[in-house]
Each structure stands twice: as C-alpha cells, then as structure tokens.
Amino acid sequence: MLEITVISGKGGTGKTSLTGAFAQLAANHVICDLDVDAPDLHLLLDPAHERVEKFISGHEPLIDLEKCTDCGECERLCRYGAVKRNADGPFIDVIACESCKVCVHFCPAGAIEWNRRQCGEWYISRTRFGPMVHAQLFPGQENSGLLVTLLRNEARQLAEARGLDLILSDGSPGIGCPVISSLAGTDLAVIVTEPTPSGIHDMERVADLCAHFRVAAAVLVNKWDLNVEQTRAIETICQNKGLALVGRLPYDPVFTEAMVQRQVVTEYGRSPLAEEVRSTWARIMDIARLKQQAA
C-alpha cells in the first residue's frame, strides 16, 4: 500500500486545494484529512457521513455539588484559577483547567469526579472521489496528534478492507505534533511551498523534520511566477538538500473560481493550470513508487 501525505511548512500555500485535485486524479484510494484542528478539505469534497464516532481523550474534573462541603480547598490549590463560583456553588471552568488533577486528589470530601472527555468527532464518509476519513476537534481541545494517528490507522484498515492501494492525506501546516503524526511511516511527503521569505523558511523547517524522521520528501512550488528570484532560491535549496522538485505551478485565479463552485481545479474545466496539475500528480506517483521500492 502506498501512502502520500501533502504538507506545508505554513498555511495558505494551496496545500488543501492541490490535495483535492490530486484526490480527483488518483485511483483506487482512500482520502484522509489529517488537519484535525482546522479541516477544510470537506468544503471541496462535500463528504456524506457513513460512520460518526466520538473522539474521547483525556479527562476533565466535575464537582459533585451533593458531596461538596464548599470548603474552598480546590479553589485555594488551583494555580490556574479554574475553580469558579456561580449561584449554585463552585464549578470548574474546563477552558481554564489544565487537567493537573490537584483538585481531585486533595478534595477532602472526594467530591470531584475525574471524567473522560469528548474532544471531537471523527468520520468515515463517501465523496465523489472515493472514501474519506476525517475529523473535527472541538474548539480549544488538544491531543490532535493522537487523533491524527487514529485517522491514519482507520484509513489503512479501510483501504485493506476495500482492496485500495493508495492513501492520500492532507496534513497540517507547521512542524508540530500533528505533522509528526502525519509523517510517521508515510512513503512520500509532498511539501507545498510558495516563493516568499516565510514560505522558504517554513519549507526548510518541514524538510528538516522529514529528514530527521527519514521520510522521503519532494517539493511543489505553487504560484512560482509571483517571485521568480525566490523560486530560484527554492530550487537551489532542493538541490542542496537532495529534494525532488515535482512541479512549479503558476498563479491562476481558476483555483478560486473552482473553489467558489465547490469543485477542484482539475474538474472545473480544462485549463493550462489543470493540465500542469495532472502532470505534477503523475510525477508525484512515479517518485512515490520509486521511494517505496527502495525502502
């Protein structure tokens, strides 16, 4: 089974728009949106849920007011100011709470429960381009790396069950925990960047992350013609780091036009850009197969 993960060192490079186009071009595959903190691939693919599951992770304290003696010990000990009061008595503000469990441990009356917490939902859905595994964390929730791992495992199981031989994933921007979870064990990471100082800086950071975890990486320069000099700098970096350059895509408003119609650029209509995206995807598949064979 082949696994390709599209990532970017920063947001706004066009990563998700291109992943949606690749999903339309790919065959015999599962689509996986690993950007669980702020997913938006569903806006292009319009998934219909076939399975909805709760994502349970971590704990949150809850004061049982029938047991509570209102001694104030939890309020005194909480260094985060999470224990507050209303007309009914003390309660714990789950946004301020850091789940340190001090209040649970030291409550003299044993009145504070330590409950498992639902942090979001994850889904298996159908789209016009094939099955999709995706999720949504609730606002302010953590453990996105754990949820990313769960989604990847579910995508693999789904691919095996349906006889599919490719997992195409849209990863998170940046280099944090969810990105590391997205990369572990993938056959090829496609880094989408743009010819700007921040684009170059963050591309180098995520390329170094791939090298650290020994994940094969390739680079795709989007909107390359907005700054030719910066594009040349990206090409030089790729040569120095041994990164394959799979394509240079020009700036084109057709991306936005297609998005407004909730379509990807390769299905919106034939255009020079759409053809370049098709050629880029073919090169990505060729490199991914070579990397898989060499592994």
Side-chain angles (χ1 to χ4, degrees), residues 33-61:
D33 190 352
L34 302 179
D35 189 359
V36 296
D37 292 286
D40 52 12
L41 187 58
H42 63 280
L43 300 176
L44 292 174
L45 304 191
D46 195 22
H49 300 333
E50 295 180 341
R51 179 179 170 189
V52 179
E53 299 286 348
K54 295 179 180 179
F55 174 56
I56 306 296
S57 179
H59 296 79
E60 62 183 8

PDB file of all heavy atoms in Angstrom, residues 33-61:
ATOM      1  N   ASP A  33      -8.098  13.446   5.648  1.00  0.00           N
ATOM      2  CA  ASP A  33      -7.810  14.826   6.052  1.00  0.00           C
ATOM      3  C   ASP A  33      -7.265  14.793   7.474  1.00  0.00           C
ATOM      4  O   ASP A  33      -7.994  14.547   8.431  1.00  0.00           O
ATOM      5  CB  ASP A  33      -9.067  15.691   5.979  1.00  0.00           C
ATOM      6  CG  ASP A  33      -8.764  17.180   6.164  1.00  0.00           C
ATOM      7  OD1 ASP A  33      -7.602  17.502   6.504  1.00  0.00           O
ATOM      8  OD2 ASP A  33      -9.661  18.005   5.957  1.00  0.00           O
ATOM      9  N   LEU A  34      -5.955  15.054   7.600  1.00  0.00           N
ATOM     10  CA  LEU A  34      -5.290  14.987   8.891  1.00  0.00           C
ATOM     11  C   LEU A  34      -5.151  16.352   9.563  1.00  0.00           C
ATOM     12  O   LEU A  34      -4.566  16.447  10.640  1.00  0.00           O
ATOM     13  CB  LEU A  34      -3.897  14.356   8.725  1.00  0.00           C
ATOM     14  CG  LEU A  34      -3.887  12.944   8.118  1.00  0.00           C
ATOM     15  CD1 LEU A  34      -2.458  12.441   7.975  1.00  0.00           C
ATOM     16  CD2 LEU A  34      -4.713  11.982   8.963  1.00  0.00           C
ATOM     17  N   ASP A  35      -5.677  17.377   8.948  1.00  0.00           N
ATOM     18  CA  ASP A  35      -5.663  18.708   9.561  1.00  0.00           C
ATOM     19  C   ASP A  35      -6.870  18.811  10.487  1.00  0.00           C
ATOM     20  O   ASP A  35      -7.866  19.469  10.184  1.00  0.00           O
ATOM     21  CB  ASP A  35      -5.690  19.789   8.482  1.00  0.00           C
ATOM     22  CG  ASP A  35      -5.468  21.189   9.049  1.00  0.00           C
ATOM     23  OD1 ASP A  35      -5.323  21.309  10.283  1.00  0.00           O
ATOM     24  OD2 ASP A  35      -5.442  22.149   8.273  1.00  0.00           O
ATOM     25  N   VAL A  36      -6.778  18.156  11.647  1.00  0.00           N
ATOM     26  CA  VAL A  36      -7.958  17.990  12.500  1.00  0.00           C
ATOM     27  C   VAL A  36      -8.293  19.247  13.304  1.00  0.00           C
ATOM     28  O   VAL A  36      -9.416  19.388  13.779  1.00  0.00           O
ATOM     29  CB  VAL A  36      -7.762  16.789  13.458  1.00  0.00           C
ATOM     30  CG1 VAL A  36      -7.650  15.500  12.664  1.00  0.00           C
ATOM     31  CG2 VAL A  36      -6.528  16.979  14.335  1.00  0.00           C
ATOM     32  N   ASP A  37      -7.320  20.147  13.470  1.00  0.00           N
ATOM     33  CA  ASP A  37      -7.598  21.377  14.214  1.00  0.00           C
ATOM     34  C   ASP A  37      -8.438  22.350  13.397  1.00  0.00           C
ATOM     35  O   ASP A  37      -9.300  23.040  13.935  1.00  0.00           O
ATOM     36  CB  ASP A  37      -6.286  22.053  14.614  1.00  0.00           C
ATOM     37  CG  ASP A  37      -5.519  21.243  15.646  1.00  0.00           C
ATOM     38  OD1 ASP A  37      -5.950  21.239  16.807  1.00  0.00           O
ATOM     39  OD2 ASP A  37      -4.513  20.618  15.280  1.00  0.00           O
ATOM     40  N   ALA A  38      -8.181  22.421  12.093  1.00  0.00           N
ATOM     41  CA  ALA A  38      -8.927  23.338  11.221  1.00  0.00           C
ATOM     42  C   ALA A  38      -9.108  22.690   9.845  1.00  0.00           C
ATOM     43  O   ALA A  38      -8.554  23.159   8.850  1.00  0.00           O
ATOM     44  CB  ALA A  38      -8.201  24.669  11.093  1.00  0.00           C
ATOM     45  N   PRO A  39      -9.878  21.606   9.767  1.00  0.00           N
ATOM     46  CA  PRO A  39     -10.033  20.911   8.489  1.00  0.00           C
ATOM     47  C   PRO A  39     -10.880  21.713   7.504  1.00  0.00           C
ATOM     48  O   PRO A  39     -11.838  22.379   7.894  1.00  0.00           O
ATOM     49  CB  PRO A  39     -10.750  19.611   8.891  1.00  0.00           C
ATOM     50  CG  PRO A  39     -11.520  19.989  10.120  1.00  0.00           C
ATOM     51  CD  PRO A  39     -10.659  20.985  10.844  1.00  0.00           C
ATOM     52  N   ASP A  40     -10.515  21.648   6.219  1.00  0.00           N
ATOM     53  CA  ASP A  40     -11.339  22.311   5.213  1.00  0.00           C
ATOM     54  C   ASP A  40     -11.407  21.542   3.891  1.00  0.00           C
ATOM     55  O   ASP A  40     -12.029  22.017   2.947  1.00  0.00           O
ATOM     56  CB  ASP A  40     -10.873  23.745   4.971  1.00  0.00           C
ATOM     57  CG  ASP A  40      -9.386  23.846   4.674  1.00  0.00           C
ATOM     58  OD1 ASP A  40      -8.757  22.805   4.430  1.00  0.00           O
ATOM     59  OD2 ASP A  40      -8.848  24.966   4.681  1.00  0.00           O
ATOM     60  N   LEU A  41     -10.806  20.360   3.828  1.00  0.00           N
ATOM     61  CA  LEU A  41     -10.911  19.562   2.606  1.00  0.00           C
ATOM     62  C   LEU A  41     -12.368  19.179   2.328  1.00  0.00           C
ATOM     63  O   LEU A  41     -12.775  19.038   1.175  1.00  0.00           O
ATOM     64  CB  LEU A  41     -10.039  18.310   2.723  1.00  0.00           C
ATOM     65  CG  LEU A  41      -9.895  17.446   1.466  1.00  0.00           C
ATOM     66  CD1 LEU A  41      -9.324  18.237   0.294  1.00  0.00           C
ATOM     67  CD2 LEU A  41      -9.029  16.219   1.747  1.00  0.00           C
ATOM     68  N   HIS A  42     -13.156  19.058   3.388  1.00  0.00           N
ATOM     69  CA  HIS A  42     -14.568  18.696   3.215  1.00  0.00           C
ATOM     70  C   HIS A  42     -15.347  19.763   2.448  1.00  0.00           C
ATOM     71  O   HIS A  42     -16.376  19.470   1.831  1.00  0.00           O
ATOM     72  CB  HIS A  42     -15.226  18.451   4.574  1.00  0.00           C
ATOM     73  CG  HIS A  42     -15.264  19.660   5.462  1.00  0.00           C
ATOM     74  ND1 HIS A  42     -14.185  20.072   6.203  1.00  0.00           N
ATOM     75  CD2 HIS A  42     -16.251  20.558   5.714  1.00  0.00           C
ATOM     76  CE1 HIS A  42     -14.501  21.155   6.885  1.00  0.00           C
ATOM     77  NE2 HIS A  42     -15.752  21.480   6.603  1.00  0.00           N
ATOM     78  N   LEU A  43     -14.863  21.009   2.475  1.00  0.00           N
ATOM     79  CA  LEU A  43     -15.548  22.072   1.738  1.00  0.00           C
ATOM     80  C   LEU A  43     -15.497  21.829   0.232  1.00  0.00           C
ATOM     81  O   LEU A  43     -16.402  22.225  -0.500  1.00  0.00           O
ATOM     82  CB  LEU A  43     -14.922  23.429   2.071  1.00  0.00           C
ATOM     83  CG  LEU A  43     -14.975  23.853   3.539  1.00  0.00           C
ATOM     84  CD1 LEU A  43     -14.237  25.161   3.744  1.00  0.00           C
ATOM     85  CD2 LEU A  43     -16.418  23.953   4.014  1.00  0.00           C
ATOM     86  N   LEU A  44     -14.433  21.183  -0.223  1.00  0.00           N
ATOM     87  CA  LEU A  44     -14.291  20.869  -1.646  1.00  0.00           C
ATOM     88  C   LEU A  44     -14.933  19.533  -2.015  1.00  0.00           C
ATOM     89  O   LEU A  44     -15.465  19.391  -3.105  1.00  0.00           O
ATOM     90  CB  LEU A  44     -12.803  20.831  -2.026  1.00  0.00           C
ATOM     91  CG  LEU A  44     -12.034  22.152  -2.003  1.00  0.00           C
ATOM     92  CD1 LEU A  44     -10.557  21.892  -2.260  1.00  0.00           C
ATOM     93  CD2 LEU A  44     -12.588  23.108  -3.042  1.00  0.00           C
ATOM     94  N   LEU A  45     -14.878  18.573  -1.100  1.00  0.00           N
ATOM     95  CA  LEU A  45     -15.292  17.207  -1.450  1.00  0.00           C
ATOM     96  C   LEU A  45     -16.712  16.866  -1.008  1.00  0.00           C
ATOM     97  O   LEU A  45     -17.242  15.836  -1.413  1.00  0.00           O
ATOM     98  CB  LEU A  45     -14.300  16.201  -0.854  1.00  0.00           C
ATOM     99  CG  LEU A  45     -12.833  16.391  -1.253  1.00  0.00           C
ATOM    100  CD1 LEU A  45     -12.015  15.179  -0.808  1.00  0.00           C
ATOM    101  CD2 LEU A  45     -12.675  16.621  -2.750  1.00  0.00           C
ATOM    102  N   ASP A  46     -17.311  17.690  -0.154  1.00  0.00           N
ATOM    103  CA  ASP A  46     -18.704  17.516   0.262  1.00  0.00           C
ATOM    104  C   ASP A  46     -18.990  16.078   0.715  1.00  0.00           C
ATOM    105  O   ASP A  46     -19.846  15.392   0.144  1.00  0.00           O
ATOM    106  CB  ASP A  46     -19.638  17.893  -0.901  1.00  0.00           C
ATOM    107  CG  ASP A  46     -21.070  18.081  -0.443  1.00  0.00           C
ATOM    108  OD1 ASP A  46     -21.280  18.339   0.758  1.00  0.00           O
ATOM    109  OD2 ASP A  46     -21.985  17.952  -1.282  1.00  0.00           O
ATOM    110  N   PRO A  47     -18.313  15.596   1.747  1.00  0.00           N
ATOM    111  CA  PRO A  47     -18.487  14.204   2.172  1.00  0.00           C
ATOM    112  C   PRO A  47     -19.840  13.943   2.819  1.00  0.00           C
ATOM    113  O   PRO A  47     -20.397  14.805   3.500  1.00  0.00           O
ATOM    114  CB  PRO A  47     -17.355  14.005   3.182  1.00  0.00           C
ATOM    115  CG  PRO A  47     -17.095  15.377   3.715  1.00  0.00           C
ATOM    116  CD  PRO A  47     -17.330  16.317   2.575  1.00  0.00           C
ATOM    117  N   ALA A  48     -20.359  12.739   2.594  1.00  0.00           N
ATOM    118  CA  ALA A  48     -21.582  12.271   3.253  1.00  0.00           C
ATOM    119  C   ALA A  48     -21.168  11.219   4.278  1.00  0.00           C
ATOM    120  O   ALA A  48     -20.576  10.197   3.935  1.00  0.00           O
ATOM    121  CB  ALA A  48     -22.545  11.672   2.233  1.00  0.00           C
ATOM    122  N   HIS A  49     -21.483  11.475   5.548  1.00  0.00           N
ATOM    123  CA  HIS A  49     -21.019  10.595   6.617  1.00  0.00           C
ATOM    124  C   HIS A  49     -21.669   9.209   6.522  1.00  0.00           C
ATOM    125  O   HIS A  49     -22.888   9.084   6.420  1.00  0.00           O
ATOM    126  CB  HIS A  49     -21.331  11.189   7.986  1.00  0.00           C
ATOM    127  CG  HIS A  49     -20.689  12.518   8.233  1.00  0.00           C
ATOM    128  ND1 HIS A  49     -19.525  12.911   7.611  1.00  0.00           N
ATOM    129  CD2 HIS A  49     -21.043  13.550   9.051  1.00  0.00           C
ATOM    130  CE1 HIS A  49     -19.185  14.112   8.030  1.00  0.00           C
ATOM    131  NE2 HIS A  49     -20.095  14.538   8.894  1.00  0.00           N
ATOM    132  N   GLU A  50     -20.838   8.190   6.599  1.00  0.00           N
ATOM    133  CA  GLU A  50     -21.312   6.815   6.728  1.00  0.00           C
ATOM    134  C   GLU A  50     -21.133   6.306   8.157  1.00  0.00           C
ATOM    135  O   GLU A  50     -21.829   5.398   8.594  1.00  0.00           O
ATOM    136  CB  GLU A  50     -20.549   5.896   5.764  1.00  0.00           C
ATOM    137  CG  GLU A  50     -20.808   6.203   4.291  1.00  0.00           C
ATOM    138  CD  GLU A  50     -20.032   5.282   3.372  1.00  0.00           C
ATOM    139  OE1 GLU A  50     -19.043   4.662   3.846  1.00  0.00           O
ATOM    140  OE2 GLU A  50     -20.403   5.168   2.193  1.00  0.00           O
ATOM    141  N   ARG A  51     -20.196   6.898   8.854  1.00  0.00           N
ATOM    142  CA  ARG A  51     -19.919   6.496  10.237  1.00  0.00           C
ATOM    143  C   ARG A  51     -19.453   7.723  11.002  1.00  0.00           C
ATOM    144  O   ARG A  51     -18.610   8.487  10.528  1.00  0.00           O
ATOM    145  CB  ARG A  51     -18.832   5.410  10.243  1.00  0.00           C
ATOM    146  CG  ARG A  51     -18.434   4.907  11.621  1.00  0.00           C
ATOM    147  CD  ARG A  51     -17.370   3.829  11.476  1.00  0.00           C
ATOM    148  NE  ARG A  51     -16.772   3.472  12.746  1.00  0.00           N
ATOM    149  CZ  ARG A  51     -15.704   2.689  12.878  1.00  0.00           C
ATOM    150  NH1 ARG A  51     -15.117   2.189  11.796  1.00  0.00           N
ATOM    151  NH2 ARG A  51     -15.207   2.415  14.070  1.00  0.00           N
ATOM    152  N   VAL A  52     -20.010   7.936  12.174  1.00  0.00           N
ATOM    153  CA  VAL A  52     -19.647   9.063  13.036  1.00  0.00           C
ATOM    154  C   VAL A  52     -19.283   8.504  14.403  1.00  0.00           C
ATOM    155  O   VAL A  52     -20.058   7.758  15.004  1.00  0.00           O
ATOM    156  CB  VAL A  52     -20.806  10.071  13.174  1.00  0.00           C
ATOM    157  CG1 VAL A  52     -20.397  11.217  14.094  1.00  0.00           C
ATOM    158  CG2 VAL A  52     -21.235  10.593  11.814  1.00  0.00           C
ATOM    159  N   GLU A  53     -18.074   8.840  14.884  1.00  0.00           N
ATOM    160  CA  GLU A  53     -17.596   8.334  16.167  1.00  0.00           C
ATOM    161  C   GLU A  53     -17.118   9.490  17.037  1.00  0.00           C
ATOM    162  O   GLU A  53     -16.581  10.482  16.540  1.00  0.00           O
ATOM    163  CB  GLU A  53     -16.433   7.355  15.965  1.00  0.00           C
ATOM    164  CG  GLU A  53     -16.778   6.117  15.155  1.00  0.00           C
ATOM    165  CD  GLU A  53     -17.628   5.123  15.928  1.00  0.00           C
ATOM    166  OE1 GLU A  53     -17.752   5.285  17.166  1.00  0.00           O
ATOM    167  OE2 GLU A  53     -18.147   4.181  15.307  1.00  0.00           O
ATOM    168  N   LYS A  54     -17.277   9.334  18.338  1.00  0.00           N
ATOM    169  CA  LYS A  54     -16.748  10.312  19.283  1.00  0.00           C
ATOM    170  C   LYS A  54     -15.242  10.105  19.446  1.00  0.00           C
ATOM    171  O   LYS A  54     -14.762   8.969  19.463  1.00  0.00           O
ATOM    172  CB  LYS A  54     -17.429  10.168  20.645  1.00  0.00           C
ATOM    173  CG  LYS A  54     -18.914  10.483  20.646  1.00  0.00           C
ATOM    174  CD  LYS A  54     -19.500  10.278  22.031  1.00  0.00           C
ATOM    175  CE  LYS A  54     -20.990  10.588  22.059  1.00  0.00           C
ATOM    176  NZ  LYS A  54     -21.570  10.355  23.411  1.00  0.00           N
ATOM    177  N   PHE A  55     -14.514  11.220  19.570  1.00  0.00           N
ATOM    178  CA  PHE A  55     -13.100  11.134  19.903  1.00  0.00           C
ATOM    179  C   PHE A  55     -12.965  11.448  21.384  1.00  0.00           C
ATOM    180  O   PHE A  55     -13.196  12.566  21.821  1.00  0.00           O
ATOM    181  CB  PHE A  55     -12.282  12.128  19.067  1.00  0.00           C
ATOM    182  CG  PHE A  55     -10.823  12.185  19.457  1.00  0.00           C
ATOM    183  CD1 PHE A  55     -10.048  11.041  19.462  1.00  0.00           C
ATOM    184  CD2 PHE A  55     -10.244  13.388  19.837  1.00  0.00           C
ATOM    185  CE1 PHE A  55      -8.711  11.083  19.838  1.00  0.00           C
ATOM    186  CE2 PHE A  55      -8.901  13.447  20.205  1.00  0.00           C
ATOM    187  CZ  PHE A  55      -8.137  12.285  20.205  1.00  0.00           C
ATOM    188  N   ILE A  56     -12.627  10.422  22.157  1.00  0.00           N
ATOM    189  CA  ILE A  56     -12.505  10.544  23.602  1.00  0.00           C
ATOM    190  C   ILE A  56     -11.027  10.559  23.954  1.00  0.00           C
ATOM    191  O   ILE A  56     -10.281   9.634  23.619  1.00  0.00           O
ATOM    192  CB  ILE A  56     -13.201   9.371  24.326  1.00  0.00           C
ATOM    193  CG1 ILE A  56     -14.661   9.240  23.862  1.00  0.00           C
ATOM    194  CG2 ILE A  56     -13.114   9.542  25.829  1.00  0.00           C
ATOM    195  CD1 ILE A  56     -15.528  10.419  24.216  1.00  0.00           C
ATOM    196  N   SER A  57     -10.603  11.608  24.643  1.00  0.00           N
ATOM    197  CA  SER A  57      -9.188  11.718  25.000  1.00  0.00           C
ATOM    198  C   SER A  57      -9.024  12.623  26.212  1.00  0.00           C
ATOM    199  O   SER A  57      -9.589  13.712  26.262  1.00  0.00           O
ATOM    200  CB  SER A  57      -8.379  12.273  23.819  1.00  0.00           C
ATOM    201  OG  SER A  57      -7.017  12.409  24.152  1.00  0.00           O
ATOM    202  N   GLY A  58      -8.251  12.165  27.176  1.00  0.00           N
ATOM    203  CA  GLY A  58      -8.011  12.972  28.365  1.00  0.00           C
ATOM    204  C   GLY A  58      -9.196  12.958  29.323  1.00  0.00           C
ATOM    205  O   GLY A  58     -10.156  12.200  29.155  1.00  0.00           O
ATOM    206  N   HIS A  59      -9.103  13.801  30.336  1.00  0.00           N
ATOM    207  CA  HIS A  59     -10.126  13.844  31.380  1.00  0.00           C
ATOM    208  C   HIS A  59     -10.470  15.295  31.704  1.00  0.00           C
ATOM    209  O   HIS A  59      -9.741  16.222  31.356  1.00  0.00           O
ATOM    210  CB  HIS A  59      -9.627  13.166  32.657  1.00  0.00           C
ATOM    211  CG  HIS A  59      -9.348  11.707  32.505  1.00  0.00           C
ATOM    212  ND1 HIS A  59      -8.191  11.228  31.931  1.00  0.00           N
ATOM    213  CD2 HIS A  59     -10.097  10.619  32.839  1.00  0.00           C
ATOM    214  CE1 HIS A  59      -8.212   9.899  31.926  1.00  0.00           C
ATOM    215  NE2 HIS A  59      -9.347   9.516  32.479  1.00  0.00           N
ATOM    216  N   GLU A  60     -11.588  15.461  32.384  1.00  0.00           N
ATOM    217  CA  GLU A  60     -11.959  16.770  32.916  1.00  0.00           C
ATOM    218  C   GLU A  60     -12.633  16.583  34.272  1.00  0.00           C
ATOM    219  O   GLU A  60     -13.419  15.651  34.462  1.00  0.00           O
ATOM    220  CB  GLU A  60     -12.869  17.535  31.957  1.00  0.00           C
ATOM    221  CG  GLU A  60     -14.191  16.870  31.672  1.00  0.00           C
ATOM    222  CD  GLU A  60     -15.022  17.642  30.660  1.00  0.00           C
ATOM    223  OE1 GLU A  60     -14.494  18.601  30.092  1.00  0.00           O
ATOM    224  OE2 GLU A  60     -16.187  17.273  30.457  1.00  0.00           O
ATOM    225  N   PRO A  61     -12.332  17.438  35.235  1.00  0.00           N
ATOM    226  CA  PRO A  61     -12.927  17.306  36.567  1.00  0.00           C
ATOM    227  C   PRO A  61     -14.334  17.908  36.618  1.00  0.00           C
ATOM    228  O   PRO A  61     -14.634  18.868  35.915  1.00  0.00           O
ATOM    229  CB  PRO A  61     -11.964  18.078  37.459  1.00  0.00           C
ATOM    230  CG  PRO A  61     -11.350  19.095  36.549  1.00  0.00           C
ATOM    231  CD  PRO A  61     -11.311  18.488  35.182  1.00  0.00           C
TER     232      PRO A  61
END
